[in-house]
Amino acid sequence: MEAQITKSTPVEGETQARHVPHRWRNLMVLTGVSVVDNTESGLTSTIFPSIAAALKLNSGHLGLLAALGKIIAVPAGPAWTWLAGRIGRRKTLVLITLVGGLFGAAAGFSQNFTQLIIFNALMSAAMVGGVPISNAILADSFDDANRGKAVGYFYGFISLISSFVAPVIALFTGLTDGWRYGMWTIGAICVLAGLVVAGLYRDPGVGAAEKQLADLSESKRNLSRVTVASVLSIMKVPSFSLMMLSRLLSGHLLISIFGIQFLVTERHFTNAVAATVLVPFGLAYFAGTVGGGWFLALLDRVIPHRGRVGYIQGAQVFFAVAAFFGTQFHYEGIGIYAIFWALMGFGQGLNPSVNRSIVAAVVLPELRGQAFAIFLTIFETIGWALFSLGAGALATSLGIQTVFLWVMVILMIVNAAVLTGLYAVYPRDVARATETLERRRQEALGQS
């Protein structure tokens, strides 16, 4: 069905982006799809200490559990994105959540680690599909000037919901085999998210938010056919390649895997008490994503293009400093750790609004779904797997604290340095994408 767009008064000689209907409702609906297995805030790791106690596991098993769940995303993410292009994004999102819920519930019946890792991996393979599809939908719903704010709200709400749901799920760990109830709850959340999508989601249409294409019908937007060659061509965009490299160096993602395990095994808090730091983490993450999105919009007006580069570099450095003081020293009581977890949450929250906006700005609309699949389910997965397996193995001999120093502090500083390359290539890549969209508009108007 052709997406409807609300007209606005254009400035003479220019086209303007239109307000895509249902965009804010869609944003809220999509948060449920990404809550369970979103990279920045997974729920399974929250109850792992209790799973470890019940099944006699250690940090190495946690690394393997997290790594396999992400490795399977390499083929699954692009496959779900391909399916969305064939049967529609709404049907695909519903299927993703129902399948994910089924395997999440099955994981709660696991009798050993082998069964647990298989069902958890299958749940991840399903739920990971919602990540690139949701990001592509947001890019189609909000123009470049407002995309950072929208992404900030999206990931902010995901973390906010997770920060309250995760401690509630952790309360089950006080019961005998309470982790099973936690997994069943996670499965139920997946199913509920699918039902909400089925009832409330309305697809905006590919390219609906681009000012060059917004006032054209979807059939006249002259979107190129997505082929293997066109998808591979994304890798030739210098800014996109740099963002992929940066994703491999994003050591801050390790906090969501080993953060609670660190507080339990090396700071000797109980699972339930340790999980309370997720509340300030989530609140601060929300503040970072939302506030960061608004600050990014201001930077775009004052320092076009290059302001985004300085912003994303600053986010890496801020997190590294917070992680250093939050994990490399011993403090009394959970309260001080809650403060540092809040600072790390804020630093991590600064990232989604800018890195998703950078990718969307240099990739053409019809390729954004696959671009986000590559960005979030392939390159991120490679880094995630290396960090999870390596950190899990090293944690058993060196301790999680030492691993955190190298991955969440030193590597993050290296990441900030690597991103310097965007100052040269990002403005050129944005100009190239804009010229292509302008040419498509002129061709469409010439044919009408």
Side-chain angles (χ1 to χ4, degrees):
M1 181 180 293
E2 184 178 312
Q4 298 293 316
I5 50 179
T6 303
K7 299 287 185 179
S8 62
T9 303
V11 177
E12 184 178 354
E14 295 183 353
T15 56
Q16 287 188 333
R18 306 301 197 259
H19 292 301
V20 179
H22 313 300
R23 58 181 185 168
W24 290 107
R25 185 175 73 182
N26 284 344
L27 185 151
M28 295 306 298
V29 167
L30 292 172
T31 58
V33 178
S34 300
V35 163
V36 170
D37 199 51
N38 177 62
T39 298
E40 274 84 358
S41 55
L43 294 180
T44 305
S45 298
T46 303
I47 57 175
F48 181 81
S50 293
I51 297 176
L55 301 181
K56 297 179 174 58
L57 309 177
N58 56 39
S59 296
H61 292 97
L62 173 57
L64 183 60
L65 185 72
L68 185 58
K70 292 300 177 184
I71 290 173
I72 201 170
V74 172
W80 283 115
T81 304
W82 173 86
L83 183 63
R86 296 300 181 273
I87 68 174
R89 296 188 285 200
R90 178 173 171 272
K91 291 180 181 178
T92 304
L93 288 172
V94 172
L95 183 61
I96 282 170
T97 51
L98 295 182
V99 173
L102 175 65
F103 287 123
F109 291 99
S110 301
Q111 298 302 308
N112 52 54
F113 181 66
T114 300
Q115 294 176 10
L116 176 67
I117 198 171
I118 290 174
F119 287 127
N120 186 75
L122 291 173
M123 179 182 71
S124 295
M127 299 308 296
V128 74
V131 178
I133 295 174
S134 296
N135 277 276
I137 291 170
L138 290 179
D140 289 331
S141 302
F142 297 86
D143 65 299
D144 186 68
N146 294 292
R147 201 167 283 148
K149 288 185 277 188
V151 172
Y153 281 117
F154 177 66
Y155 281 94
F157 280 120
I158 287 174
S159 183
L160 194 64
I161 294 170
S162 298
S163 68
F164 286 97
V165 171
V168 171
I169 291 177
L171 292 177
F172 287 124
T173 62
L175 305 174
T176 302
D177 280 341
W179 66 271
R180 299 186 187 277
Y181 293 98
M183 291 305 304
W184 294 332
T185 301
I186 291 172
I189 292 172
C190 294
V191 174
L192 178 61
L195 296 176
V196 173
V197 170
L200 298 178
Y201 172 73
R202 299 293 182 271
D203 199 281
V206 177
E210 301 302 328
K211 67 178 183 179
Q212 297 90 350
L213 309 177
D215 59 344
L216 304 175
S217 65
E218 194 164 0
S219 62
K220 292 184 178 180
R221 290 177 189 159
N222 193 26
L223 301 176
S224 301
R225 182 171 174 267
V226 178
T227 63
V228 174
S230 65
V231 171
L232 292 177
S233 70
I234 302 173
M235 301 301 299
K236 297 179 181 179
V237 179
S239 296
F240 186 78
S241 297
L242 268 175
M243 292 301 293
M244 298 307 97
L245 177 58
S246 173
R247 206 61 179 174
L248 291 177
L249 302 175
S250 295
H252 66 279
L253 302 176
L254 205 64
I255 191 66
S256 62
I257 303 178
F258 289 95
I260 302 303
Q261 182 76 350
F262 165 77
L263 292 174
V264 172
T265 61
E266 301 204 10
R267 297 299 185 264
H268 309 299
F269 296 104
T270 65
N271 195 164
V273 170
T276 60
V277 301
L278 296 178
V279 174
F281 182 94
L283 291 173
Y285 184 97
F286 179 80
T289 55
V290 175
W294 283 90
F295 183 64
L296 184 65
L298 175 63
L299 273 180
D300 285 341
R301 291 194 297 269
V302 178
I303 315 174
H305 306 318
R306 291 181 173 82
R308 292 185 176 185
V309 182
Y311 174 101
I312 195 171
Q313 287 183 297
Q316 315 312 304
V317 174
F318 182 94
F319 182 90
V321 173
F324 176 74
F325 288 103
T327 65
Q328 300 305 304
F329 301 93
H330 289 256
Y331 304 103
E332 292 295 328
I334 196 66
I336 189 66
Y337 288 102
I339 294 174
F340 283 114
W341 251 248
L343 292 173
M344 286 187 282
F346 184 82
Q348 188 170 329
L350 293 173
N351 283 278
S353 60
V354 65
N355 59 33
R356 272 67 165 178
S357 295
I358 289 174
V359 170
V362 300
V363 176
L364 297 174
E366 67 273 17
L367 295 174
R368 284 175 186 155
Q370 292 295 344
F372 283 119
I374 295 171
F375 179 49
L376 300 172
T377 66
I378 295 182
F379 274 80
E380 177 180 284
T381 295
I382 295 172
W384 187 279
L386 292 174
F387 292 147
S388 299
L389 292 173
L394 291 174
T396 59
S397 57
L398 302 178
I400 301 177
Q401 178 174 314
T402 301
V403 172
F404 278 178
L405 174 63
W406 283 98
V407 177
M408 297 201 310
V409 179
I410 297 174
L411 192 62
M412 291 299 290
I413 300 297
V414 173
N415 194 1
V418 167
L419 288 167
T420 302
L422 287 174
Y423 286 110
V425 299
Y426 178 62
R428 294 201 301 264
D429 292 336
V430 172
R432 188 179 299 113
T434 301
E435 289 171 4
T436 301
L437 294 177
E438 291 286 358
R439 184 169 60 252
R440 288 182 178 181
R441 175 175 178 80
Q442 296 306 317
E443 291 173 354
L445 292 176
Q447 294 171 359
S448 59

